[in-house]
């Protein structure tokens, strides 16, 4: 509803309204994480809360490892999966990422996540059912009815620290 200066109103759609945003969920998440003292637990709380949004099927937080930690891939800087949560369709599992997933490393600059960590550029992919691109061959995309993907670099004072990625059942 848009209210005019004469006090009257006319019904119009407000393009700023996001039907997937729940202010109560956001407020409770902010209160919960404000008290957290462990970074790892904070990330876990964040992804578990973010995946509660109706359209989200998977939320991931990837962090760039320090040069010294990247010895498994030589001298290449890489990202490790620091936190992830799933909202699986009924009967598709418990939604908890496996320990194997947590051991995955992505070299900075490789793949969608690696390129975002290198460039800082937001990436949004729509219609993954028809055009999966780099996600081709990932059977869980079809099984979980994933249509969209969005990822954003995590940065602080101009330095990229990692990437937040969201897979959704809607075209983002």
């Amino acid at each position: 509803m848009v209210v005019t200066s004469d006090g009257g109103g006319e019904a119009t759609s407000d393009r700023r309204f996001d039907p997937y945003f729940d202010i109560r969920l956001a407020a409770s998440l902010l209160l919960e994480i404000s008290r957290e003292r462990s970074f790892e637990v904070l990330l876990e709380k964040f992804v578990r809360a973010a995946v509660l949004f109706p359209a989200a099927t998977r939320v991931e937080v990837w962090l760039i490892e320090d040069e010294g930690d990247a010895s498994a891939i030589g001298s290449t800087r890489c990202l490790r999966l620091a936190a992830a949560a799933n909202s699986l369709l009924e009967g598709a599992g418990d939604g908890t990422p496996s320990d194997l997933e947590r051991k995955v490393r992505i070299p900075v600059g490789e793949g969608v996540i690696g390129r975002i960590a290198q460039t800082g550029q937001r990436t949004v992919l729509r219609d993954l059912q028809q055009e999966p691109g780099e996600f081709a061959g990932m059977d869980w995309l079809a099984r979980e009815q994933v249509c969209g993907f969005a990822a954003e670099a995590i940065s602080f004072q101009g330095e990229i620290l990692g990437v937040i990625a969201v897979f959704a059942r809607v075209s983002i």
Side-chain angles (χ1 to χ4, degrees), residues 12-164:
T12 62
S13 73
D14 184 348
R15 294 182 190 272
R16 295 171 299 171
F17 175 73
D18 180 353
Y20 299 108
F21 185 76
D22 181 347
I23 190 70
R24 292 170 302 208
L25 177 64
S28 70
L29 174 63
L30 288 173
L31 286 173
E32 188 173 339
I33 66 175
S34 69
R35 294 183 216 119
E36 190 51 59
R37 299 295 176 238
S38 162
F39 183 65
E40 290 76 21
V41 174
L42 179 122
L43 290 178
E44 288 296 331
K45 285 182 178 182
F46 168 75
V47 295
R48 282 196 310 265
V51 84
L52 292 176
F53 286 92
T57 186
R58 181 168 174 88
V59 177
E60 302 173 338
V61 176
W62 294 85
L63 296 177
I64 294 177
E65 294 186 317
D66 293 334
E67 299 287 342
D69 294 338
S71 60
I73 305 180
S75 61
T76 304
R77 293 182 66 203
C78 58
L79 295 128
R80 70 171 171 83
L81 185 62
N86 300 314
S87 175
L88 302 177
L89 295 173
E90 251 183 85
D94 69 356
T96 305
S98 70
D99 287 338
L100 181 62
E101 287 180 300
R102 296 200 184 277
K103 293 179 180 165
V104 170
R105 299 293 187 264
I106 299 174
V108 171
E110 289 187 23
V112 173
I113 301 292
R115 282 193 303 275
I116 294 166
Q118 184 176 46
T119 66
Q121 294 266 279
R122 171 185 302 146
T123 299
V124 175
L125 304 173
R126 296 174 178 86
D127 201 17
L128 290 178
Q129 295 285 324
Q130 299 300 315
E131 299 175 35
E134 290 184 40
F135 297 114
M138 297 176 101
D139 296 336
W140 71 272
L141 289 175
R143 188 174 61 248
E144 292 299 322
Q145 302 171 5
V146 174
C147 297
F149 169 83
E152 178 82 38
I154 302 167
S155 62
F156 180 71
Q157 295 183 343
E159 180 183 357
I160 297 174
L161 305 174
V163 175
I164 295 176

Side-chain angles (χ1 to χ4, degrees), residues 1-4 7-15:
M1 167 87 57
V2 174
V3 179
T4 60
E10 63 179 88
T12 62
S13 73
D14 184 348
R15 294 182 190 272

